Amino acid sequence: MSAALPRLNPNPYPGKLIAVEGVDGSGKSTQLYLLKRWLEQSGAKVFFTEWNSSILVSSATKKAKKRHLLSPTTFCLIHATDLADRYERQIKPLLQAGYLVLADRYVFTALARDVARGMDREWVREIYDFAVMPDITLFFNAPLEVALSRILEGRPELKYFEAGMDLGLHPDPTESFKIFQGMIHKEYQRLAKEMDFVVIDSNRPVDEMQPEVRRIVRKRIPLEKFKSRQAAGRRLVSN
């Protein structure tokens, strides 16, 4: 029997971390944006962070992707650098300060994508052992055909790495996307069971999913504790 894979440590900070995960086109980013707006309007202290947005590596990543220079290993390491930088500069300090941190993709994006690209599961997990476990991980589960149609609605063609064209899975980008995203989805299913993701059926309209997302957050997190002083003051005046 193989040894258990490394797990993330529980969040020890006063703030709470909410992450969304899912294949490209699953609707996760839209739902997190709506959740962010709702929390902000309720007066909560909220910080938003998204995958591959660190100023430390974003320029180099864009150039390497444009020139198709990223191997599976460099792809893995550059995204690990991205998250490590944002974690130390943004995520961890805001959790320590008692904020609700909303992450549009987190460690699990790397675990799913890097393993789909052939990287060793245990090695990838060890790279991310600095990060804490989210208090809630919402996994938006969408059929691949639905995800593909959503992506193609807004643009004429699939991106090279998004479609897994670097892996030589199929010469046609659409077919390669289906194969690659199917591999990623399989890894997500594995992670969902092991990491206790909250699975949301995202083969539904936006306005049907958001009430469910809010109910989950209200049930698991005492939101009153995260109200800003200004919001608390407004409640006292109104009362």
Side-chain angles (χ1 to χ4, degrees):
M1 182 180 296
S2 60
L5 291 172
R7 290 181 62 89
L8 302 180
N9 292 319
N11 174 16
Y13 307 116
K16 298 294 183 182
L17 175 60
I18 302 172
V20 296
E21 295 284 355
V23 298
D24 294 337
S26 62
K28 57 188 179 296
S29 297
T30 299
Q31 291 301 316
L32 191 64
Y33 171 76
L34 294 173
L35 177 64
K36 174 178 177 289
R37 290 290 303 275
W38 175 67
L39 290 170
E40 288 173 337
Q41 290 169 2
S42 72
K45 298 182 294 183
V46 179
F47 178 79
F48 172 82
T49 184
E50 62 182 333
W51 189 252
N52 196 30
S53 63
S54 166
I55 59 174
L56 183 67
V57 296
S58 60
S59 177
T61 304
K62 288 177 182 178
K63 290 179 181 178
K65 284 185 175 180
K66 187 175 181 179
R67 298 179 182 179
H68 301 170
L69 296 177
L70 294 175
S71 69
T73 302
T74 53
F75 211 107
C76 171
L77 293 176
I78 202 166
H79 281 147
T81 303
D82 166 83
L83 182 60
D85 180 55
R86 289 186 294 112
Y87 186 83
E88 291 300 325
R89 294 173 182 267
Q90 301 172 349
I91 297 173
K92 182 178 176 180
L94 271 296
L95 288 175
Q96 291 174 327
Y99 275 67
L100 290 172
V101 177
L102 309 183
D104 183 352
R105 291 159 292 175
Y106 191 56
V107 171
F108 310 113
T109 290
L111 298 184
R113 291 183 181 181
D114 292 340
V115 171
R117 281 197 157 89
M119 306 305 296
D120 179 76
R121 285 190 184 90
E122 184 172 359
W123 184 76
V124 175
R125 289 202 188 187
E126 288 177 348
I127 290 175
Y128 287 94
D129 65 359
F130 59 84
V132 298
M133 187 78 175
D135 297 278
I136 303 175
T137 302
L138 301 170
F139 172 48
F140 290 86
N141 194 18
L144 293 181
E145 293 293 342
V146 172
L148 179 61
S149 66
R150 288 173 178 170
I151 290 174
L152 293 179
E153 278 179 7
R155 45 193 165 89
E157 61 184 18
L158 294 163
K159 297 177 183 178
Y160 182 83
F161 287 103
E162 172 185 56
M165 294 298 290
D166 56 309
L167 302 178
L169 301 171
H170 198 282
D172 178 69
T174 299
E175 292 304 316
S176 181
F177 173 89
K178 292 177 182 178
I179 297 169
F180 181 50
Q181 295 295 326
M183 295 162 64
I184 293 173
H185 189 264
K186 184 177 179 180
E187 288 302 318
Y188 269 132
Q189 296 285 6
R190 181 195 303 271
L191 288 166
K193 294 178 181 178
E194 180 186 353
M195 302 290 186
D196 299 322
F197 291 175
V198 179
V199 181
I200 295 176
D201 176 12
S202 61
N203 188 21
R204 294 180 291 166
V206 170
D207 57 359
E208 287 186 17
M209 289 187 282
Q210 184 60 200
E212 181 180 352
V213 170
R214 294 178 185 180
R215 284 195 299 271
I216 292 165
V217 172
R218 279 197 299 260
K219 182 178 180 180
R220 295 198 174 200
I221 295 177
L223 295 179
E224 286 298 318
K225 293 184 178 180
F226 296 92
K227 302 292 185 181
S228 65
R229 291 183 179 180
Q230 293 87 341
R234 287 196 297 269
R235 286 201 308 279
L236 289 173
V237 171
S238 64
N239 290 338

